[in-house]
Amino acid sequence: MKERLQQLQQEALEKIEQANDLKALNDVRVAYLGKKGPITEVLRGMGALSPEERPVMGALVNEVREVIQTALEAKQATLEQAEVEKKLASEAIDVTLPGRPVKRGNHHPLTRVIEEIEDLFIGMGYTIAEGPEVEKDYYNFEALNLPKGHPARDMQDSFYITEEILLRTHTSPVQARTMEKHQGRGPVKIICPGKVYRRDNDDATHSHQFTQIEGLVVDENIRMSDLKGTLREFARKMFGEDRDIRFRPSFFPFTEPSVEVDVSCANCGGHGCSVCKGTGWIEILGAGMVHPNVLEMAGFDSKKYTGFAFGMGPERIAMLKYGIDDIRHFYQNDVRFLQQFNRV
């Protein structure tokens, strides 16, 4: 029996050494240490031995089992390490390859135009003023010379929340609030960018929500010529140094006199084309001298102070600047449209 155990040990060690993967190694484990293996058979045959021989043979069986088990564990560790190294080699990352580029976003064309206009007027000494989009009827209309029942309110069909609260229809309430804060003391020199809302049918040139930038200057001896010089500088910086502007008489309740402002057509140089409908001019904004009633309601002495105001739509400016034919493109988040401005 002793010779048989030594022979089994030798055979097991040889097969363990020959195993080239974990499956083959497990087969060796089952073959020699399993319930039906030869070592288990030896243990079952120990009942035929004398009482004196049993402890000796029991110790020998345990020694053989331990030697085989130790060899199995050592071989298993070796095979597992080899498998890990093989897997690492097959899944190795070549760090010399360039990384996958991350797509970067870009400023929306409206954001570009708004920031360009803000930078231009800040360079002229203006400050940026902001106000609430949910506004009181008083600041949106009454403080701007539009009392309740005034027919000019019909031009600005509005989203009312209550009879006295609405979504602002222009950024002019910011002008009224700012003048009120100055308590009748000038100078005031601000631009007011922001979103505005009107009950309008969405089409290529209209939207129920759009952006607006208004400007206001109030001080002593402010004249119409100051307004024209300011807007001419704006037009040339925004559309090109060879652009010119013209004033056409108009009506706004909060300015007197009031004007529509046109810029000479960049497409034809003012000679007339399909873009400007043959006139050589394109309308870009409205403006005028601040109405004395507006000054008085804000606490300014209209005999001492004068001022001018203007208002423009960044969508309109962007459409002219970039040749965009439909205002809805700005709000649809179509990546194909927005990507065109990555290098603008």
Side-chain angles (χ1 to χ4, degrees):
M1 190 174 288
K2 182 177 180 181
E3 289 78 10
R4 173 64 175 155
L5 285 172
Q6 290 176 343
Q7 182 183 358
L8 290 173
Q9 177 179 310
Q10 185 63 32
E11 288 176 2
L13 293 176
E14 289 176 358
K15 289 186 178 181
I16 290 171
E17 186 62 31
Q18 293 169 3
N20 52 15
D21 57 43
L22 293 173
K23 183 180 181 306
L25 185 66
N26 189 59
D27 291 342
V28 174
R29 182 195 311 276
V30 172
Y32 286 90
L33 301 182
K35 292 181 178 180
K36 297 180 180 180
I39 295 179
T40 303
E41 291 180 3
V42 171
L43 286 173
R44 288 173 182 161
M46 288 180 62
L49 298 177
S50 65
E52 293 80 12
E53 292 177 315
R54 286 176 191 168
V56 177
M57 292 306 300
L60 183 59
V61 170
N62 289 335
E63 182 182 339
V64 170
R65 287 173 63 93
E66 187 174 340
V67 169
I68 294 174
Q69 185 64 37
T70 301
L72 284 167
E73 291 174 355
K75 185 65 174 182
Q76 181 176 342
T78 301
L79 290 174
E80 286 177 347
Q81 180 63 29
E83 192 169 304
V84 169
E85 291 176 358
K86 182 180 179 181
K87 190 173 183 180
L88 287 174
S90 64
E91 297 178 359
I93 299 173
D94 186 352
V95 296
T96 64
L97 288 173
R100 292 182 178 88
V102 177
K103 291 184 179 180
R104 298 181 62 185
N106 198 46
H107 280 168
H108 191 281
L110 278 183
T111 303
R112 287 179 178 275
V113 168
I114 291 170
E115 290 182 350
E116 187 175 352
I117 294 171
E118 288 176 345
D119 289 345
L120 195 160
F121 281 101
I122 288 172
M124 295 185 193
Y126 288 70
T127 58
I128 296 175
E130 296 180 332
E133 293 178 20
V134 179
E135 186 55 274
K136 293 181 178 180
D137 182 274
Y138 173 78
Y139 289 110
N140 196 79
F141 291 124
E142 294 178 44
L144 301 171
N145 205 33
L146 281 159
K148 293 185 185 299
H150 195 291
R153 288 195 180 203
D154 294 339
M155 295 187 296
Q156 300 185 28
D157 288 341
S158 309
F159 293 102
Y160 275 89
I161 298 169
T162 70
E163 289 187 3
E164 299 299 329
I165 303 293
L166 73 159
L167 299 181
R168 67 183 182 187
T169 61
H170 43 195
T171 56
S172 302
V174 181
Q175 299 182 31
R177 288 176 174 274
T178 302
M179 285 191 290
E180 190 176 79
K181 288 178 182 176
H182 276 254
Q183 299 180 336
R185 294 189 296 272
V188 178
K189 197 172 184 181
I190 60 170
I191 59 169
C192 318
K195 292 195 291 289
V196 299
Y197 308 85
R198 296 183 188 179
R199 188 173 62 81
D200 215 338
N201 294 322
D202 289 5
D203 57 28
T205 57
H206 299 85
S207 174
H208 66 280
Q209 173 192 302
F210 54 98
T211 57
Q212 197 173 61
I213 296 180
E214 298 190 8
L216 172 71
V217 174
V218 176
D219 204 352
E220 298 181 33
N221 301 315
I222 298 297
R223 300 179 296 272
M224 179 73 85
S225 58
D226 297 320
L227 171 62
K228 190 164 187 177
T230 298
L231 296 181
R232 179 185 286 118
E233 179 69 10
F234 160 74
R236 290 178 175 174
K237 294 296 184 184
M238 185 61 61
F239 299 107
E241 291 296 333
D242 56 345
R243 300 276 68 76
D244 202 356
I245 63 170
R246 73 174 184 182
F247 283 0
R248 289 182 290 110
S250 186
F251 168 76
F252 302 110
F254 29 81
T255 54
E256 179 61 39
S258 304
V259 295
E260 298 284 357
V261 183
D262 302 333
V263 63
S264 57
C265 180
N267 189 60
C268 65
H271 300 296
C273 66
S274 60
V275 174
C276 60
K277 299 179 181 179
T279 65
W281 299 92
I282 297 175
E283 180 184 330
I284 57 169
L285 56 89
M289 302 301 293
V290 179
H291 198 291
N293 290 351
V294 175
L295 291 171
E296 294 289 345
M297 281 187 285
F300 282 83
D301 182 353
S302 61
K303 293 182 173 59
K304 178 180 179 182
Y305 288 100
T306 54
F308 64 74
F310 55 86
M312 66 187 77
E315 285 89 345
R316 172 73 169 161
I317 304 298
M319 291 172 77
L320 293 173
K321 188 177 179 68
Y322 299 131
I324 299 167
D325 60 1
D326 194 323
I327 194 173
R328 291 170 291 193
H329 291 320
F330 293 122
Y331 315 122
Q332 292 172 340
N333 294 325
D334 189 331
V335 175
R336 295 170 299 177
F337 170 74
L338 298 175
Q339 284 178 338
Q340 298 177 59
F341 300 90
N342 285 352
R343 294 181 176 84
V344 172

